[in-house]
Amino acid sequence: MNDFLKDKTVLITGASNGLGAEMARQVAQQGAHTILTARRTEKLADLAADIEMKFDVSSRYFKMDMTDFAEIEQVAEQLGDTKVDVLVNCAGFGIFEEAVTTDFDTVERMFDTNVLGLMRLTQLILPRMIERKSGHIINIASQAGKIATPKSSAYSATKFAVLGYSNALRMEVKPDNINVTTVNPGPIATSFFDIADKSGNYLDNVGFLVLKPEKVAAKIVAIMGKGRREINLPFLMNIISRTYQVMPRVIEFFGKGSFEKK
């Protein structure tokens, strides 16, 4: 249990399914009120109703497309003076395709969703956290932001950007008693791969590394309200990405077979 969450408010983007939805259930189970956003409001409505029925907390939801900055601003305005204790930027998508053939409209949409939308929402939520001198921002990045692999150039670029933004932001808001955590998971068994992996084989190819969303969510929920810098999962991928920082050529040479399983 994380006692910090009792009667706190947690805003989660990309909450309609997968990791976002699982985090929403787990924080509500521990007494937190939830604000849920995604593009598909029908799933949000069902999730919010289920949370309120099971856990006796409030759960609000808003339609918010992370590529639509006007819509992000509108949601922030609707929230008004709502006290957001934890912001979890979870919305995102990727595709596995070589850089030369990746549709550039898709690249732009990926950056808008994974990076610019995240930055804009954070920018709108932060002022009230700074006023209160408290808050926690959790950005879901990826092991792809630590070590890039073939057929993930655009996606990796977005996650490298999220890590850079988060690292700078952490130093800026530390005097205001605001925590910034990045979460860097490997592959998670969610609908993310319905879009990312056209072949449908990737999760099977890297089966022993695949994470369960329930496990990842539990680790994130456990550190809410705490000054944790990063969560890196799974352990083996974290070791590889750390080694890559000092021996990139060695990892690229010996990891070639694994990198090309997409």
Side-chain angles (χ1 to χ4, degrees), residues 176-225:
D176 298 301
N177 197 36
I178 297 168
N179 297 317
V180 177
T181 301
T182 52
V183 181
N184 306 302
I188 307 174
T190 69
S191 60
F192 172 90
F193 291 98
D194 295 345
I195 297 172
D197 178 27
K198 293 178 182 178
S199 73
N201 298 321
Y202 180 68
L203 288 181
D204 290 335
N205 290 341
V206 296
F208 72 100
L209 292 173
V210 177
L211 300 163
K212 294 183 178 180
E214 298 84 358
K215 176 183 176 181
V216 179
K219 288 188 175 293
I220 297 168
V221 171
I223 59 87
M224 288 182 177

Side-chain angles (χ1 to χ4, degrees), residues 67-167:
T67 69
D68 187 338
F69 305 134
E71 193 166 72
I72 294 173
E73 291 162 10
Q74 183 180 37
V75 170
E77 187 175 333
Q78 287 177 285
L79 289 175
D81 293 328
T82 300
K83 180 174 177 281
V84 175
D85 298 287
V86 182
L87 168 62
V88 185
N89 286 303
C90 186
F93 80 98
I95 59 166
F96 296 158
E97 192 166 348
E98 292 183 353
V100 69
T101 56
T102 304
D103 177 72
F104 199 74
D105 288 341
T106 301
V107 174
E108 288 187 316
R109 186 160 56 89
M110 204 183 304
F111 268 88
D112 284 348
T113 302
N114 297 3
V115 184
L116 299 181
L118 175 154
M119 292 171 68
R120 184 59 180 137
L121 180 60
T122 301
Q123 190 177 49
L124 293 167
I125 297 297
L126 257 178
R128 289 184 178 84
M129 287 186 173
I130 292 172
E131 287 174 6
R132 297 193 310 269
K133 301 295 181 185
S134 69
H136 195 165
I137 296 166
I138 300 175
N139 293 329
I140 309 301
S142 172
Q143 285 295 324
K146 297 275 191 170
I147 178 170
T149 58
K151 294 187 179 180
S152 66
S153 57
Y155 180 69
S156 289
T158 67
K159 295 306 182 178
F160 271 85
V162 169
L163 287 174
Y165 173 73
S166 302
N167 289 340

Side-chain angles (χ1 to χ4, degrees), residues 7 12 26-27 54 82 129 132 137 171 218 222 231 238 253:
D7 293 325
I12 303 171
Q26 292 193 25
V27 297
K54 289 182 178 177
T82 300
M129 287 186 173
R132 297 193 310 269
I137 296 166
M171 291 185 282
I231 296 175
N238 184 37
F253 178 80

Side-chain angles (χ1 to χ4, degrees), residues 13-75:
T13 70
S16 58
N17 59 22
L19 179 61
E22 186 58 37
M23 280 189 288
R25 295 186 190 97
Q26 292 193 25
V27 297
Q29 188 175 24
Q30 298 194 35
H33 307 285
T34 59
I35 301 171
L36 313 174
T37 76
R39 292 178 299 159
R40 293 171 290 185
T41 54
E42 66 279 3
K43 289 192 173 185
L44 290 180
D46 290 344
L47 178 59
D50 188 55
I51 283 173
E52 291 190 337
M53 179 180 69
K54 289 182 178 177
F55 304 118
D56 194 31
V57 294
S58 68
S59 185
R60 303 164 64 189
Y61 66 91
F62 298 89
K63 178 184 179 299
M64 190 166 73
D65 184 339
M66 298 303 288
T67 69
D68 187 338
F69 305 134
E71 193 166 72
I72 294 173
E73 291 162 10
Q74 183 180 37
V75 170

